Amino acid sequence: MLAKKTNSYLHDLMKKSNAVKKQFQYCEQENQTGKTNEINPFAETSYEPVKNLIHKYSNRVLILFTKNCAAYCRFCTRRRVVSQKENAIDVDKMVDYIRSHSNIDEVIFSGGDPLTKPLELIEAMYKFAEIEHIKIIRIHTRVPVTAPDLFDDNILEAIKSIGKTKPVYISLHTNHIDELGEKTTKIIQQLRGAGAILISQSVFLKGVNDDVPTLANLFTKLTQLGVKPYYIHRCDFVKGVEHWIIPIEREVEIMTQLRKEISGLAYPLHVIDAPGGSGKIPVPTNFWEHNLDQFSDFNNKEIKMYGQRIKK
Ligand code: SF4
């Protein structure tokens, strides 16, 4: 069960914005029985050659750096592990594994939120960046949004230094423009000033961002701040989060309309995570004839959508 955790900054934001409040306020529906009992739909543990290192795609590895976050989003896909007791991470063992796999060129720090352990993160970033065949460092975080007061600016020096030879990408998880307050904006500016390349990830959430104006505002604002909207995910079909899921037809309608209204630069890729962890599959728009009842994953396996269909 995902623990409840917020902080005073977020409390203020939750008072001002229902969209923010909804994302962090525990609700009874998390415990109700739905269509799925799935808790690990992406089978991450089947691709784990070193504890907390996921090697699913040939050229990149995902590091589950911590189980801790600055605040817990009630729709979290990794709710089976996030907020649970922390395990020690053996970075040196991970370095050994990566050194012996020259096909890996990218290290992605995720979790939990890696920026909740800034000093350990900095040390690990340097260790991975020293490996010659690692060309890209990427960090997924929500700290600048949920707890900007926790942001440790020692990370800026590391980004500056590593960024001289290898790009450091920061992927910011944000779902609504109300999350982009003054403090968050300042951190975005600092990260850009340090040379980080900023991208964003969002999730379609019922009652938070399931309409065109809300997402147009969010993606336009991010682009103006120098953050490229990268992905918008269909909310994963995981036990305890079904009440957040929007009908797929509605998502497609929204993305089709958005394509007409915002610039290509501000338009993210809409994806659904294939069950079993076989790829982030792009969802079609209504500019094309398509069938929303099924799709194929990266291994050409057909996935039926009926289990995931949520009535309009
Ligand atoms: S910040 Fe990310 S990992 Fe942490 S609770 Fe939110 S969605 Fe889950």
Side-chain angles (χ1 to χ4, degrees), residues 161-179:
S161 166
I162 293 169
K164 282 180 195 151
T165 52
K166 307 187 173 182
V168 179
Y169 285 77
I170 306 285
S171 176
L172 189 67
H173 176 172
T174 177
N175 301 314
H176 195 280
I177 195 170
D178 290 352
E179 297 169 14

Side-chain angles (χ1 to χ4, degrees), residues 214-280:
T214 300
L215 286 177
N217 285 340
L218 173 65
F219 297 143
T220 302
K221 181 71 183 177
L222 283 167
T223 310
Q224 289 167 355
L225 290 173
V227 183
K228 164 75 186 105
Y230 172 47
Y231 275 142
I232 180 160
H233 296 258
R234 174 157 175 79
C235 189
D236 294 319
F237 197 54
V238 175
K239 187 179 179 187
V241 306
E242 282 178 62
H243 55 288
W244 291 101
I245 301 179
I246 301 161
I248 187 72
E249 293 86 350
R250 178 71 188 134
E251 292 185 12
V252 170
E253 275 166 22
I254 292 170
M255 292 309 292
T256 303
Q257 188 58 28
L258 270 177
R259 187 63 198 94
K260 299 177 196 169
E261 294 191 15
I262 61 177
S263 80
L265 197 57
Y267 190 81
L269 188 63
H270 178 205
V271 289
I272 178 166
D273 264 300
S278 300
K280 290 183 173 39

Side-chain angles (χ1 to χ4, degrees), residues 2 24 66-79 82 110-113 141-143 146 173 203:
L2 184 67
F24 295 97
T66 172
K67 293 177 180 165
N68 193 25
C69 299
Y72 295 125
C73 316
R74 302 319 306 171
F75 51 84
C76 183
T77 296
R78 292 211 181 99
R79 55 194 295 124
V82 163
S110 184
D113 198 318
T141 184
R142 196 146 157 74
V143 161
T146 56
H173 176 172
V203 189

Side-chain angles (χ1 to χ4, degrees), residues 75-271:
F75 51 84
C76 183
T77 296
R78 292 211 181 99
R79 55 194 295 124
R80 76 186 190 283
V81 284
V82 163
S83 85
Q84 304 298 309
K85 196 166 164 277
E86 198 79 305
N87 295 330
I89 301 272
D90 192 337
V91 172
D92 292 332
K93 214 169 172 184
M94 293 177 177
V95 168
D96 288 345
Y97 178 82
I98 295 170
R99 276 195 197 285
S100 63
H101 290 77
S102 55
N103 50 314
I104 300 171
D105 63 15
E106 180 175 4
V107 173
I108 305 167
F109 289 95
S110 184
D113 198 318
L115 282 191
T116 58
K117 287 168 70 176
L119 298 181
E120 293 94 328
L121 175 65
I122 292 167
E123 201 182 320
M125 282 169 71
Y126 278 117
K127 284 188 179 177
F128 291 127
E130 266 174 22
I131 304 171
E132 202 183 339
H133 55 89
I134 291 301
K135 307 293 183 197
I136 299 169
I137 302 284
R138 194 193 324 172
I139 301 166
H140 286 211
T141 184
R142 196 146 157 74
V143 161
V145 163
T146 56
D149 298 327
L150 263 191
F151 180 74
D152 182 334
D153 52 17
N154 286 311
I155 194 90
L156 299 173
E157 268 316 304
I159 292 171
K160 259 187 215 160
S161 166
I162 293 169
K164 282 180 195 151
T165 52
K166 307 187 173 182
V168 179
Y169 285 77
I170 306 285
S171 176
L172 189 67
H173 176 172
T174 177
N175 301 314
H176 195 280
I177 195 170
D178 290 352
E179 297 169 14
L180 303 174
E182 223 173 275
K183 289 184 175 181
T184 302
T185 303
K186 187 174 168 215
I187 294 172
I188 290 173
Q189 285 162 349
Q190 286 176 312
L191 287 167
R192 288 185 61 215
I197 301 166
L198 275 81
I199 57 178
S200 73
Q201 301 212 49
S202 307
V203 189
F204 264 116
L205 296 171
K206 190 190 268 181
V208 171
N209 58 13
D210 53 343
D211 63 84
V212 173
T214 300
L215 286 177
N217 285 340
L218 173 65
F219 297 143
T220 302
K221 181 71 183 177
L222 283 167
T223 310
Q224 289 167 355
L225 290 173
V227 183
K228 164 75 186 105
Y230 172 47
Y231 275 142
I232 180 160
H233 296 258
R234 174 157 175 79
C235 189
D236 294 319
F237 197 54
V238 175
K239 187 179 179 187
V241 306
E242 282 178 62
H243 55 288
W244 291 101
I245 301 179
I246 301 161
I248 187 72
E249 293 86 350
R250 178 71 188 134
E251 292 185 12
V252 170
E253 275 166 22
I254 292 170
M255 292 309 292
T256 303
Q257 188 58 28
L258 270 177
R259 187 63 198 94
K260 299 177 196 169
E261 294 191 15
I262 61 177
S263 80
L265 197 57
Y267 190 81
L269 188 63
H270 178 205
V271 289

